[in-house]
Amino acid sequence: MNQNPEQIARDNIDQQLKACGWIVQSKSKISLGAGSGVAVREYQTDEGPADYVLFVDGKAVGIIEAKREEEGHKLTVHEDQAENYASAKLKYLNNEKLPFAYVSTGETTKFTDFRDPKPRARAVFSFHRPKTLQEWLKKPKSLRTSLLDLNLLPTDGLRDCQISAITDLEKSFKSNKPRALIQMATGSGKTFTAITFIYRLLKYTQAKRILFLVDTKNLGEQAEQEFMSFLPNDDNRKFTELYGVHRLKSKQIPDDNQVYISTIQRLYAVLKGQDLEESAEEENPNERNWQPRQVPPIEYNEKLPLDYFDFIIIDECHRSIYNLWMQVLDYFDAFQVGLTATPDARTIAYFQKNVVSEYSHEMAVADNVNVGYDVFLIDTKVTQKGAILWKGEYIEHRERLSRRKRLELQDEDEAYSAVQLDRDIVNPNQIRTVIRTFKEHLPSVFPKRYDKDGNFEVPKTLIFAKTDSHADDIINIVREEFDEENRFCKKVTYKASEDPKAVLAQFRNDYYPRIAVTVDMIATGTDIKPLECLLFMRDVKSRNYFEQMKGRGTRVINFDDLKKVSPSATENKDHFVIVDAIGVTKTLKTDSCPMEKKPGVALKDLLGAVTVGAQDEDLFISLANRLTRLDKQISEKEKRHFEEISGGKSVTEVVKDLLNAYNPDTVEDIKNRIESERLGDPPAEIEKAIQDELEQLRKDAAKVFSGELNEYIENVRKAHDQKIDLLNPDELLFAGWDKSNQEKNKKAVADFKEWLDLHKDEITALQILYNEPYRRREVTYKMMKDLVDKIILDKPALAPTNVWRAYEQLETVSGQPKTEMIALISLIRRVVGIDTNLTSFDKTVDRNFQQWILKKNAGQHNRFSEEQMSWLRMIKDHIATSVHIEQDDIDYTPFDAEGGRGKMWQIFGNEMGSIIDELNEELAA
């Protein structure tokens, strides 16, 4: 029992080796045939005795240098000693340098693979299995050496931002950097990028298994679909025809796949040896407000060893790598790659500042990968200030689950705040005021959305609600206020009675529903390209989560696809609108939503934490106290229903189990019993047996909680404290564009003018347009294309279509440019004063063409024949889209189909050259 630190460390190392499949032997009792992997203590070398020598199939493959726990902070100083033993000659053997070396205290372990190009020690959770070392040695090179085999990336079908991300990530891999962060704007193809480099890793390197980690079931399902549809650019077979892809739905993990998709919650449960209901994967765990004081530790799991995955791709990593979940990532000996659109300082720090891709929303807008947005505000009195339920009034109470109503006399004045709205207190008039205002202002927000009969078509709109019950209230009022049928507005949440995936598919691909209401299912990560309006009736405090919610509207969609679901659309989707009815764009946002232990943590969060396997004492006691209070409030009928769902346990019994799990007397009894039963065993083994039994006791206390029981507990509690305020009619305080829109637009216009002024003397096209109007006909397509590229490269936010939209908010404009180049020539003409109002260049060309024809026809009737007019119109259309035309252009589309330059010469003769010159000059006037 009185062991010194070195002996304790070796006991811990022995225990870990056995857990990993090694047979531990002393040097006096060596039997290498006892199993595939044998670890021999104190084996003699010409450098002295090595603490452990590892043999696989009878062959020495590595050593372990053991140190006491106090040495954990300076293991690096012992790496040379470990390498000396690995390089030494073993007694009786004429061995070469052993490829593997560990330095370990039994608590902290570092591992070096000398087969790597530049061998570098890395921290590992435990030791690798004999089977793993055996498989590694059968391969001609190590994983890290094989990463150097990644060849030049084929770029067909990839965007520039994707090419850059993959290329720089592979450089990071080749430099053996363990963590890398890819920041790509929502909608720019993060998952596609990830699957592309996963495919390359599986095809060209020694990578065997790759984990794609998400934090919600919805994201996992989407990723699975993308893997199934992915077609590599160097193979005509789909990804799933080449490699196995498996999404984890239970604690069983088949070994015959190369890609595994899992939520971080499920992987945590698997490592803990627990089952997990699918309902526990529906909510982003980082949105919960409960954090255990002490993180329940993960232990080695022989069914999922630390070397199971070679790479871990963490989707939406800004929200799933902290607190309880970080240890899931620390467990595996794998490269980690984070994917996010919105990294914060913590995320960048976690990935060791190795940001291999920085592709911002502004850059994505400039590249036409994303669209920008404007903000429209709706402020009401109750939304901002709440109201008062007066003493002596009969107040309606409503059960959320059954929607049953009853009246109760209010026994005192009760002021409720805006925070309580739609949770503790529902004010239907407040919801109606917001929705009515939204409906009334939609035509001014989207002025071009009238169909051929003059009816306004509601653009595809997503409403963010606070709760499932709030969503129901919104849906009913939307249908009434818009005077529409059921299919016009539907709910898309995990708890919706109609299949949420089917509704989501309808929302994405069909005309109906026009409006969808969600709580969290499609708050993040779901691709709905036709979406043009986001109505926020729910606030969020996390900057990252808000950015993700906004990301639902940023997706680009081509005009033809937009018209399939919104037939009144007259142009490409070039922006979306945030309608802020809750102040979400104004409230202070934090970089993250850290989960903290607070006395006021929601019951839902406590239930969610215990369901996914958290076993903290504070959690169990807090939950027991809440259930005790609930037991005093609910009816006998509700108690019986609780027992039916819980498998026969009453609320009181569940509470007793929770409290007993940390009862000091119970803990002491277990400790005393095991110590007496295992008298003489090593202390570490006794302590492990005690902890195993305590953990089983806590598992048994927690296993009663399931998605069905949790939902019942939440709803039965809410049935007793939700009130309906029918006494306080709401009133509109303000509805209009956010002032920051105007400021943002004015700044964009000013910055654009400043950029032009700064470069007007160095860029030929600007020199001509600013100072030499007689030379405007010389401005060519290439000049303007180069100018567009330079602006977007220098100032992505000043992409011409962005500046055009800024002008739209500040003054009356004419037309809608179809390309960045046409927008640019139009804007420059406005800035230098050629046009007094901003007019799309194609409209200017049309007008000037009509005037030129009238001038040519003056004094003579129809100077040009119909055939000549057809050619003149083709030339006009070419100039409208390409700024300028040369005689050589007549040899190409669309002119070649009509006979090309030869045909034009036939019908215009010697006038051909002069007409081309004249049109270049007149149409650009």
Side-chain angles (χ1 to χ4, degrees):
M1 298 293 286
N2 297 317
Q3 291 181 301
N4 62 38
E6 285 79 5
Q7 290 169 327
I8 292 172
R10 295 195 184 206
D11 278 351
N12 288 336
I13 290 171
D14 286 357
Q15 215 170 0
Q16 289 182 24
L17 284 169
K18 291 173 185 175
C20 298
W22 293 90
I23 297 170
V24 181
Q25 298 176 349
S26 65
K27 63 180 180 181
S28 60
K29 297 182 179 179
I30 296 177
S31 174
L32 298 183
S36 175
V38 175
V40 181
R41 301 190 197 97
E42 300 294 332
Y43 195 100
Q44 191 65 40
T45 78
D46 59 9
E47 288 282 335
D51 292 331
Y52 296 81
V53 173
L54 303 177
F55 291 84
V56 173
D57 294 338
K59 181 180 179 182
V61 298
I63 66 100
I64 300 173
E65 176 67 15
K67 296 296 174 185
R68 59 184 180 175
E69 187 175 342
E70 291 78 5
E71 297 282 301
H73 68 287
K74 54 178 183 179
L75 290 187
T76 53
V77 303
H78 302 296
E79 289 166 0
D80 286 345
Q81 186 179 1
E83 184 168 2
N84 287 340
Y85 282 123
S87 303
K89 294 295 182 184
L90 302 178
K91 189 175 182 180
Y92 308 122
L93 299 174
N94 184 27
N95 59 287
E96 295 180 353
K97 182 176 181 177
L98 306 184
F100 308 118
Y102 298 85
V103 182
S104 179
T105 66
E107 294 292 335
T108 303
T109 301
K110 298 195 76 176
F111 167 70
T112 303
D113 184 343
F114 294 116
R115 303 171 308 146
D116 290 343
K118 294 180 179 179
R120 185 186 307 158
R122 61 183 186 265
V124 289
F125 183 84
S126 184
F127 301 100
H128 299 97
R129 299 170 298 165
K131 178 183 177 183
T132 299
L133 301 187
Q134 181 187 55
E135 289 174 353
W136 285 354
L137 290 171
K138 287 179 180 177
K139 294 178 179 178
K141 56 184 74 172
S142 71
L143 170 64
R144 283 158 181 76
T145 303
S146 75
L147 292 172
L148 301 176
D149 296 337
L150 285 166
N151 57 11
L152 193 65
L153 173 70
T155 58
D156 291 348
L158 295 175
R159 295 170 176 158
D160 288 346
C161 61
Q162 295 169 334
I163 295 168
S164 173
I166 296 168
T167 302
D168 289 346
L169 176 66
E170 292 181 354
K171 287 179 184 175
S172 173
F173 289 154
K174 291 175 182 180
S175 299
N176 193 15
K177 294 183 178 178
R179 297 178 185 175
L181 180 63
I182 291 178
Q183 185 259 316
M184 290 176 67
T186 299
S188 57
K190 291 192 299 295
T191 307
F192 186 88
T193 301
I195 299 173
T196 302
F197 69 70
I198 287 171
Y199 166 75
R200 284 172 56 76
L201 288 170
L202 292 172
K203 180 171 182 177
Y204 295 111
T205 78
Q206 299 289 348
K208 187 170 68 171
R209 295 191 193 94
I210 296 175
L211 172 65
F212 193 91
L213 200 60
V214 296
D215 60 11
T216 63
K217 175 186 170 188
N218 186 40
L219 286 179
E221 291 171 340
Q222 280 191 191
E224 185 177 30
Q225 289 301 314
E226 290 208 44
F227 273 102
M228 291 170 68
S229 61
F230 181 86
L231 188 67
N233 56 12
D234 61 354
D235 198 302
N236 59 7
R237 292 167 293 177
K238 289 188 175 180
F239 188 99
T240 46
E241 295 178 76
L242 298 164
Y243 303 107
V245 177
H246 177 78
R247 183 166 63 85
L248 300 188
K249 301 173 188 175
S250 70
K251 63 181 180 181
Q252 304 303 320
I253 302 180
D255 283 338
D256 55 349
N257 292 276
Q258 287 74 46
V259 176
Y260 295 79
I261 302 169
S262 176
T263 61
I264 200 161
Q265 305 93 297
R266 181 166 297 284
L267 204 63
Y268 176 81
V270 169
L271 287 172
K272 298 287 283 181
Q274 299 167 350
D275 284 313
L276 186 71
E277 290 198 7
E278 284 197 26
S279 60
E281 301 180 278
E282 291 172 355
E283 181 188 17
N284 165 17
N286 200 42
E287 287 298 301
R288 298 194 186 112
N289 293 320
W290 185 86
Q291 168 72 351
R293 180 183 296 170
Q294 294 181 332
V295 178
I298 285 175
E299 295 181 358
Y300 185 85
N301 187 320
E302 61 180 10
K303 294 181 180 177
L304 196 62
L306 68 147
D307 46 66
Y308 199 80
F309 302 114
D310 297 310
F311 293 84
I312 301 177
I313 318 303
I314 311 145
D315 196 17
E316 305 297 358
C317 61
H318 62 270
R319 65 192 193 195
S320 58
I321 55 177
Y322 311 115
N323 307 314
L324 180 70
W325 314 110
M326 189 184 294
Q327 57 179 326
V328 173
L329 301 174
D330 289 342
Y331 176 84
F332 293 102
D333 178 25
F335 286 91
Q336 296 178 24
V337 181
L339 307 177
T340 181
T342 54
D344 56 29
R346 287 198 313 168
T347 309
I348 292 170
Y350 177 84
F351 286 96
Q352 302 169 350
K353 294 189 175 181
N354 185 25
V355 184
V356 298
S357 165
E358 292 183 89
Y359 189 64
S360 67
H361 172 67
E362 290 74 22
M363 295 168 73
V365 171
D367 288 345
N368 200 32
V369 172
N370 278 358
V371 297
Y373 67 92
D374 293 324
V375 178
F376 188 89
L377 302 177
I378 297 176
D379 291 333
T380 78
K381 185 177 179 181
V382 173
T383 305
Q384 287 194 354
K385 301 177 181 178
I388 298 175
L389 300 176
W390 299 102
K391 177 182 178 180
E393 296 283 353
Y394 277 95
I395 302 299
E396 186 177 287
H397 290 238
R398 184 180 69 188
E399 217 178 285
R400 289 196 186 193
L401 201 60
S402 66
R403 314 300 274 186
R404 184 178 63 198
K405 298 177 182 178
R406 66 184 189 282
L407 290 177
E408 282 188 14
L409 192 66
Q410 187 76 11
D411 55 8
E412 60 182 16
D413 292 346
E414 180 183 350
Y416 65 86
S417 67
V419 175
Q420 292 172 279
L421 200 62
D422 303 307
R423 299 186 188 277
D424 304 327
I425 311 288
V426 175
N427 185 323
N429 192 262
Q430 180 267 344
I431 298 173
R432 190 173 300 278
T433 301
V434 168
I435 297 302
R436 183 172 294 176
T437 305
F438 172 63
K439 179 199 172 187
E440 290 172 350
H441 285 82
L442 262 181
S444 63
V445 174
F446 292 91
K448 302 175 183 177
R449 305 313 284 273
Y450 287 89
D451 64 21
K452 59 185 179 182
D453 299 321
N455 300 311
F456 181 76
E457 179 183 85
V458 176
K460 289 280 185 175
T461 299
L462 179 62
I463 301 178
F464 292 111
K466 297 175 184 176
T467 65
D468 214 55
S469 176
H470 186 213
D472 279 333
D473 291 332
I474 291 170
I475 288 167
N476 291 330
I477 291 173
V478 165
R479 290 169 178 172
E480 291 170 10
E481 287 298 316
F482 281 83
D483 189 22
E484 286 288 355
E485 57 196 307
N486 290 347
R487 62 179 178 164
F488 177 81
C489 180
K490 288 190 175 183
K491 180 162 61 174
V492 187
T493 70
Y494 287 113
K495 295 177 184 176
S497 55
E498 191 172 353
D499 179 11
K501 291 181 186 175
V503 177
L504 183 58
Q506 292 169 6
F507 187 50
R508 182 185 289 122
N509 302 317
D510 301 339
Y511 185 81
Y512 289 110
R514 301 308 299 167
I515 298 176
V517 184
T518 191
V519 178
D520 52 23
M521 179 178 171
I522 51 176
T524 64
T526 303
D527 187 3
I528 310 170
K529 292 181 178 179
L531 193 56
E532 296 183 82
C533 186
L534 303 178
L535 171 53
F536 280 86
M537 297 181 72
R538 165 199 178 183
D539 196 8
V540 285
K541 302 301 182 187
S542 162
R543 179 180 67 86
N544 282 327
Y545 196 47
F546 181 49
E547 291 297 325
Q548 290 291 308
M549 294 164 83
K550 286 195 302 187
R552 301 315 98 225
T554 63
R555 309 291 193 180
V556 170
I557 184 172
N558 66 53
F559 181 54
D560 291 337
D561 288 341
L562 180 59
K563 279 188 73 68
K564 289 175 185 176
V565 294
S566 294
S568 70
T570 57
E571 58 202 29
N572 288 328
K573 174 184 172 183
D574 61 4
H575 75 294
F576 69 100
V577 175
I578 291 175
V579 179
D580 182 3
I582 197 71
V584 67
T585 59
K586 303 295 183 185
T587 53
L588 183 65
K589 300 283 184 286
T590 59
D591 269 350
S592 58
C593 263
M595 299 184 289
E596 299 174 341
K597 180 183 175 296
K598 299 178 182 177
V601 172
L603 176 60
K604 174 185 177 182
D605 293 328
L606 298 176
L607 291 166
V610 77
T611 302
V612 298
Q615 294 181 4
D616 190 75
E617 182 177 4
D618 290 324
L619 169 64
F620 276 39
I621 292 173
S622 298
L623 184 54
N625 288 337
R626 299 288 182 90
L627 293 177
T628 300
R629 291 204 301 269
L630 181 69
D631 196 35
K632 295 174 182 177
Q633 296 171 355
I634 61 178
S635 66
E636 288 303 317
K637 180 181 176 182
E638 288 165 335
K639 289 180 181 179
R640 287 195 298 273
H641 191 47
F642 181 98
E643 289 186 34
E644 290 172 12
I645 300 174
S646 68
K649 284 192 175 183
S650 67
V651 180
T652 304
E653 289 171 324
V654 170
V655 168
K656 284 181 179 177
D657 287 345
L658 289 170
L659 294 175
N660 194 49
Y662 282 95
N663 184 312
D665 292 336
T666 304
V667 173
E668 188 65 25
D669 288 346
I670 290 173
K671 183 179 179 183
N672 291 336
R673 175 172 53 78
I674 291 177
E675 284 179 347
S676 64
E677 288 174 355
R678 306 190 61 164
L679 195 64
D681 286 358
E685 291 185 14
I686 293 173
E687 182 59 30
K688 184 176 186 304
I690 293 169
Q691 292 306 317
D692 286 347
E693 186 152 338
L694 287 175
E695 184 169 348
Q696 189 58 51
L697 180 69
R698 288 153 194 168
K699 280 183 184 177
D700 291 342
K703 69 182 180 183
V704 67
F705 296 99
S706 64
E708 184 183 6
L709 181 62
N710 293 357
E711 185 176 356
Y712 178 73
I713 291 171
E714 287 180 58
N715 284 303
V716 77
R717 178 190 63 84
K718 291 169 184 174
H720 294 269
D721 58 16
Q722 189 178 46
K723 300 175 181 179
I724 311 298
D725 179 8
L726 301 174
L727 304 176
N728 293 289
D730 201 3
E731 59 184 87
L732 181 67
L733 299 178
F734 174 78
W737 293 108
D738 185 2
K739 288 182 180 178
S740 63
N741 285 350
Q742 293 293 89
E743 294 163 7
K744 179 177 70 175
N745 293 328
K746 287 177 182 177
K747 185 176 187 308
V749 168
D751 288 349
F752 179 73
K753 290 178 179 177
E754 182 183 344
W755 192 94
L756 292 182
D757 194 56
L758 186 65
H759 295 86
K760 66 182 181 183
D761 295 326
E762 65 185 65
I763 297 175
T764 305
L766 291 180
Q767 288 176 355
I768 294 172
L769 291 167
Y770 261 85
N771 305 313
E772 304 173 67
Y774 59 91
R775 292 181 58 204
R776 282 181 209 149
R777 66 178 181 272
E778 298 176 21
V779 175
T780 65
Y781 175 87
K782 185 177 186 308
M783 287 181 188
M784 294 307 301
K785 181 67 170 64
D786 290 346
L787 185 52
V788 169
D789 293 342
K790 181 169 178 55
I791 288 178
I792 291 176
L793 184 64
D794 283 3
K795 296 281 186 181
L798 296 184
T801 50
N802 291 352
V803 181
W804 180 280
R805 285 192 49 251
Y807 266 103
E808 280 186 318
Q809 300 294 324
L810 300 173
E811 64 179 51
T812 302
V813 303
S814 177
Q816 188 71 37
K818 294 177 181 175
T819 66
E820 293 279 8
M821 192 176 70
I822 298 306
L824 179 59
I825 188 71
S826 311
L827 288 163
I828 295 174
R829 290 171 63 91
R830 170 70 178 85
V831 170
V832 303
I834 300 172
D835 296 330
T836 53
N837 294 312
L838 181 59
T839 305
S840 184
F841 184 64
D842 55 330
K843 275 187 168 290
T844 299
V845 168
D846 285 343
R847 182 196 65 214
N848 290 346
F849 181 72
Q850 289 173 359
Q851 292 174 350
W852 182 74
I853 292 295
L854 287 172
K855 187 167 61 175
K856 288 294 183 182
N857 284 339
Q860 55 184 307
H861 182 65
N862 293 337
R863 177 186 167 185
F864 299 113
S865 68
E866 273 303 313
E867 187 176 22
Q868 288 175 321
M869 282 300 299
S870 175
W871 274 82
L872 292 174
R873 290 189 191 99
M874 282 195 294
I875 294 171
K876 180 263 294 183
D877 290 342
H878 183 91
I879 293 174
T881 55
S882 302
V883 182
H884 181 87
I885 191 167
E886 299 280 355
Q887 284 199 28
D888 289 348
D889 295 329
I890 307 298
D891 290 329
Y892 301 100
T893 306
F895 307 100
D896 57 345
E898 303 298 327
R901 197 178 340 190
K903 181 65 175 178
M904 187 175 178
W905 176 265
Q906 283 181 19
I907 62 176
F908 284 101
N910 291 332
E911 285 188 296
M912 174 176 160
S914 61
I915 282 177
I916 288 175
D917 290 342
E918 200 171 335
L919 284 174
N920 274 323
E921 183 170 350
E922 293 290 335
L923 301 191

